[in-house]
Amino acid sequence: MRARLALLALACLWSGPALAERLVTSLSANQVAIGSNYTGAQLVIFGIIERDGQSADRPDGYDVVVTMRGPREPVTVRRKEPFGPVWLNRSQQKFVAVPSVLTVLSSRYLAEIAPPALRAQLRLGLAAIVQAPEFTIDRGQDDNPFRAGLIRLKTRDGLWSQHERGVVFVTREFFRAPMAIPATATIGNYDVEVILLSGGAVLARGHASFEVVKTGFEEQITVFAQDRSLIYGMMIGALSLAFGWVASVIFRRD
Amino acid sequence: MQIYLPIAEMPVSVLLILGMGAAVGFVSGLFGIGGGFLMTPLLIFLGIPPAVAVATQSAQITASSTTGALAALRRDAVDLRLAGVLTLGGFVGTAAGVWVFAAMRRAGQLDLVIVLSYVTLFTAIGSLMLAESLREFFRTRRGVVRPRRRAGSHPKVFGWPFRMRFPRSQLYASVLPILALSVSVGFVGTLLGIGGGFIVVPALLYLFRIPTGVVIGTSQVQVLSTALLAVILQSAVNGAVDIVLAIMLIIGGVFGAQFGARAGRALRADLFRVLLGILVLAVGMRFAAEIAVRPAEPFSLHLPEGRR
């Protein structure tokens, strides 16, 4: 009970004192464990919109945008250009902190939820996140093709996605949003940002986070390969020799 | 059936990897080469990080060349003395290759160097091998038998100092050209992430005119020692060898290599050379197409150096 009260208090802080709505969110799990049979996972974030007694009804209804961001990593986008008869990587654009996994879920089309200026300010949607000025280092060249290329390639690899029907309202004030964790998800901390809007204005925000970790054999091997790398290498070398020898015994014809 | 690779950090299909291991193992056993130049691009195509792909396939090469070397030893088809000289030079070349690899990576030009090396090396060697072997193939079919090597008709470099006798290979030559060959093969092999067997085999066949039967076994022994060193170094330095992937590739590979080696013994020597030439040329052409054709997707993503 105390924990729930504390959570509510925290949610109040996030929503700010001037606003009438409070947003309470909960993830279906705090950890995604990777074992030998891992091929991706699904998490669900649930949310309840709590209203105090005096607040007026929202005639436009509620809109929710959920953004899940994986561990950040630096990415260089290179572009092939003709150089004589061949095509070579000739220009590049560096992005400092790109979420390895990025999922944007919304209750309806982002264009209907908020005007372009607000979408850009709140970073709602893949385009708005990548178009943010601080997302890359300005080098005085036209970097828009590189930003678009980054979205295209990350989406093709199944690491980034955007679903404009991904948040489902079960009742008027209770919603859920299923989030897919890709098979090639990077190990580390993932954070989920939930923004509640109505009529193009922000009412409340919520945050949650979970981690993707290796467990069991997968974790032990990773730790062993890092901490005892020479022994690990010799072990694999010995293993390879043994396999080769066994095969030659099995297939011996004489 | 899918299994998660702990170091590559992604799931793969078990049957697909076993099948790929068997296919590359077959080619490797057939021609007495490591097969790394086929396996590395295949693994990268599956989405496995390049560093893990390059490092892990050397474990498979170790296993398949162990089998190949043991089989060749039993058939007495190895020139151990020649293999020793080749290994010595190979280690020196590998060390130099690792150094240049790191320097090129720092300069940001590694991709270009690798693609250009693949194109020039494979296309040149492949064309030479194919032209030479086709000429020989048709000459044999017309019934004209050319003497393999007449006394006194060998290149001048064989007469350099430090001459050594290789009775098994019917060769009496200076070790300097052999060392030069193995140093450059070790160097280029490290740079391109390949074993280099496909360079050693044609060089021994065409430059040194060593009998086909001895060439394959000798190359297997040299490939074995180089690959074993590579597995240990790659694990110790880069931590990039994935044990789960390695075991699957090895299991597929050892079986494939057995059948490949059997098929290789049934193959006529002249046909063998034609096929090897076509294989090397095809890989070269594939890399040439990669840079010559307008790419469908001109953009590519590059993560910082490391495992991914």
Side-chain angles (χ1 to χ4, degrees):
Chain A
M1 192 61 207
R2 280 177 73 178
R4 189 177 294 174
L5 278 177
L7 201 72
L8 278 179
L10 222 58
C12 289
L13 274 180
W14 280 327
S15 58
L19 298 170
E21 272 84 359
R22 287 179 305 208
L23 185 58
V24 183
T25 58
S26 173
L27 274 173
S28 60
N30 293 322
Q31 197 183 63
V32 173
I34 292 185
S36 58
N37 57 355
Y38 174 82
T39 56
Q42 201 182 54
L43 281 189
V44 184
I45 186 160
F46 299 96
I48 292 179
I49 301 157
E50 296 195 333
R51 300 193 300 157
D52 59 17
Q54 310 117 31
S55 65
D57 241 14
R58 301 282 178 190
D60 298 325
Y62 293 116
D63 293 310
V64 167
V65 180
V66 175
T67 309
M68 177 186 85
R69 293 177 173 90
R72 315 294 197 275
E73 55 196 11
V75 172
T76 305
V77 179
R78 298 209 170 106
R79 177 165 62 186
K80 285 198 172 68
E81 287 162 22
F83 178 74
V86 296
W87 288 77
L88 303 176
N89 285 326
R90 300 260 287 154
S91 54
Q92 63 177 36
Q93 181 79 33
K94 285 195 167 98
F95 296 86
V96 184
V98 178
S100 56
V101 177
L102 180 59
T103 304
V104 179
L105 306 165
S106 54
S107 51
R108 54 185 178 127
Y109 289 113
L110 289 169
E112 297 171 4
I113 291 176
L118 186 64
R119 289 207 302 275
Q121 186 202 328
L122 293 176
R123 316 274 186 259
L124 298 182
L126 296 183
I129 291 168
V130 170
Q131 287 302 326
E134 80 278 359
F135 202 69
T136 184
I137 307 152
D138 188 16
R139 292 172 57 248
Q141 66 173 15
D142 178 21
D143 51 27
N144 280 323
F146 291 93
R147 295 179 197 252
L150 178 66
I151 295 184
R152 199 165 55 244
L153 291 167
K154 279 289 201 177
T155 307
R156 186 194 65 188
D157 294 344
L159 293 168
W160 286 14
S161 60
Q162 178 165 323
H163 303 286
E164 292 181 299
R165 286 276 184 277
V167 178
V168 180
F169 273 92
V170 181
T171 69
R172 204 178 136 74
E173 277 141 15
F174 175 53
F175 64 86
R176 66 180 156 85
M179 302 177 292
I181 315 299
T184 51
T186 312
I187 308 300
N189 283 310
Y190 286 62
D191 53 72
V192 185
E193 182 190 29
V194 185
I195 299 184
L196 176 69
L197 303 99
S198 181
V202 180
L203 301 180
R205 289 162 182 262
H207 288 90
S209 69
F210 62 93
E211 55 175 357
V212 174
V213 291
K214 291 184 216 175
T215 52
F217 172 75
E218 275 60 37
E219 187 201 8
Q220 287 162 13
I221 283 295
T222 310
V223 170
F224 186 65
Q226 277 164 5
D227 296 351
R228 307 241 187 290
S229 55
L230 188 62
I231 300 174
Y232 176 75
M234 288 172 150
M235 222 176 69
I236 294 189
L239 198 74
S240 313
L241 288 173
F243 266 106
W245 176 73
V246 167
S248 81
V249 170
I250 293 174
F251 287 99
R252 194 168 187 166
R253 288 196 299 178
D254 37 297
Chain B
M1 198 170 69
Q2 301 260 316
I3 191 164
Y4 189 82
L5 305 178
I7 305 291
E9 294 183 351
M10 60 177 290
V12 289
S13 156
V14 176
L15 286 179
L16 181 66
I17 298 290
L18 285 177
M20 264 170 48
V24 174
F26 182 85
V27 176
S28 144
L30 185 61
F31 295 122
I33 54 185
F37 73 102
L38 294 171
M39 186 54 94
T40 308
L42 279 175
L43 291 176
I44 293 171
F45 181 74
L46 283 187
I48 289 167
V52 178
V54 169
T56 305
Q57 52 90 15
S58 50
Q60 192 224 337
I61 294 176
T62 306
S64 62
S65 54
T66 302
T67 314
L70 286 175
L73 276 173
R74 272 202 297 273
R75 285 184 288 115
D76 191 25
V78 181
D79 188 332
L80 279 176
R81 184 179 268 198
L82 183 61
V85 175
L86 286 173
T87 302
L88 188 72
F91 282 3
V92 176
T94 302
V98 167
W99 186 78
V100 171
F101 191 88
M104 281 297 172
R105 191 143 79 173
R106 278 196 298 275
Q109 290 302 326
L110 190 62
D111 282 3
L112 179 62
V113 170
I114 287 180
V115 172
L116 285 182
S117 317
Y118 260 109
V119 171
T120 36
L121 197 70
F122 281 63
T123 315
I125 294 184
S127 318
L128 280 175
M129 281 163 61
L130 196 59
E132 159 81 20
S133 54
L134 278 177
R135 212 179 304 136
E136 183 123 350
F137 183 70
F138 287 115
R139 197 177 284 151
T140 322
R141 286 191 61 181
R142 283 201 306 271
V144 185
V145 181
R146 193 182 57 164
R148 205 174 48 77
R149 189 183 62 216
R150 279 186 297 268
S153 73
H154 55 69
K156 267 210 186 82
V157 288
F158 285 14
W160 285 6
F162 305 109
R163 270 194 260 184
M164 210 167 163
R165 201 172 286 280
F166 300 97
R168 194 67 195 79
S169 306
Q170 303 163 20
L171 183 74
Y172 177 55
S174 160
V175 292
L176 292 179
I178 302 171
L179 277 176
L181 167 73
S182 55
V183 168
S184 46
V185 165
F187 177 77
V188 174
T190 309
L191 213 53
L192 301 187
I194 54 181
F198 80 98
I199 311 174
V200 174
V201 170
L204 294 183
L205 278 175
Y206 300 115
L207 298 180
F208 295 93
R209 300 253 167 215
I210 292 167
T212 311
V214 185
V215 165
I216 297 170
T218 307
S219 159
Q220 292 272 25
V221 172
Q222 188 245 343
V223 166
L224 167 61
S225 53
T226 314
L228 189 60
L229 182 75
V231 170
I232 295 170
L233 282 184
Q234 288 279 19
S235 302
V237 179
N238 298 327
V241 181
D242 193 303
I243 189 165
V244 176
L245 181 62
I247 290 175
M248 285 191 292
L249 289 178
I250 288 170
I251 292 174
V254 286
F255 283 93
Q258 281 300 321
F259 294 108
R262 262 167 225 202
R265 286 200 287 279
L267 208 63
R268 279 170 42 209
D270 50 357
L271 190 60
F272 168 90
R273 295 179 198 196
V274 175
L275 290 180
L276 185 55
I278 291 175
L279 182 70
V280 172
L281 188 59
V283 173
M285 298 306 269
R286 194 205 147 277
F287 275 92
E290 192 166 285
I291 59 167
V293 177
R294 169 187 279 270
E297 171 61 84
F299 292 91
S300 55
L301 300 184
H302 300 265
L303 291 156
E305 290 313 333
R307 293 197 353 273
R308 279 181 167 258

